[in-house]
Amino acid sequence: MKVYRSIKPLIEEIGRLKRKQKSIGLVPTMGFLHEGHLSLMRRARRDVACVVVSIYVNPIQFGPKEDLRKYPRDLRRDTDLCREVGADICFIPDTRTMYPDGFSTYVNVEDLGDTLCGASRPGHFKGVTTVVAKLFNIVRPDTAYFGQKDAQQAIIIKRMVADLNMPVKIKVVPIVRERDGIAMSSRNIYLSPDERKEAVSLRRSLDLARVLYANGERDPREIIKKMRRAILKEKDAKIDYLSIVDLKDLKDINRISKNALVAVAVKIGKTRLIDNVILSNSQTA
Ligand code: AMP
């Protein structure tokens, strides 16, 4: 596996691969890798000739009061894991490389980035789309892989790619969970043992939504009310949002008729966790 820290030699390597007609897959991450990230890489490994993993904690997607400085990092372990999974290239830039002095161009997907996580994290998705657009220009992947865990992010990236005619296919990979049902996340490390038990309430509330839906409930308000109750049983849980929205435009819906996204963001103590499930027509409990 080749590791690149600067852009120019990586672009040259990508050029060589393109000339040899190798297909390229990109897995963008912020590192501190877990099975969720690895499932994206394994999927890429099956699909393409050359798997590129980027590891970069992108400062412009963090708000001023967020956890940028203490975001967990372990580059040695991350590169070992990438190698084990069979990645070909690992791109680990630093911030001077990604945003040199004078940087002033941003990519922003309007509307979709203002709801759900965007409402409590203003500017977050603008930071995400900007860094992903840069990575797409550097790596020129045929396919890029994103997790369903960050459902809104995947929808926004697809919108950006369609709107800006970017020649890349976006594949969304299912959520990988811990044994207790919590969605894997680099931020789970912040949770104390007691908080971790409380964090299971996100998954429990989503299971409840699925059961209610399978039993014929189509009123989002009813489902949300019961989910809210399930989460607020936990003493340290504070709901940021709990929404049932249209999977395409992320707008609130009055009645669940086609595919709907049930998305939750909850703070357990100081740690903000997100999770989601899709309710589809074909689904049963
Ligand atoms: P992050 O390092 O948090 O920016 O995540 C990098 C990529 O991994 C994103 O596309 C995430 O959606 C995806 N990802 C993170 N956690 C999971 C998970 N538990 N299951 C599937 N994909 C995930």
Side-chain angles (χ1 to χ4, degrees), residues 28-30 34 36-37 40 146-147 149-150 153 174-176 184:
T29 81
M30 297 205 297
H34 52 66
H37 300 112
L40 268 61
F146 293 88
K149 154 94 186 332
D150 299 272
Q153 169 173 283
I175 300 177
V176 178
M184 286 199 179

Side-chain angles (χ1 to χ4, degrees), residues 118-137:
S120 45
R121 304 185 70 189
H124 168 68
F125 288 111
K126 182 179 167 190
V128 171
T129 41
T130 300
V131 78
V132 170
K134 281 174 68 74
L135 291 168
F136 284 180
N137 282 334

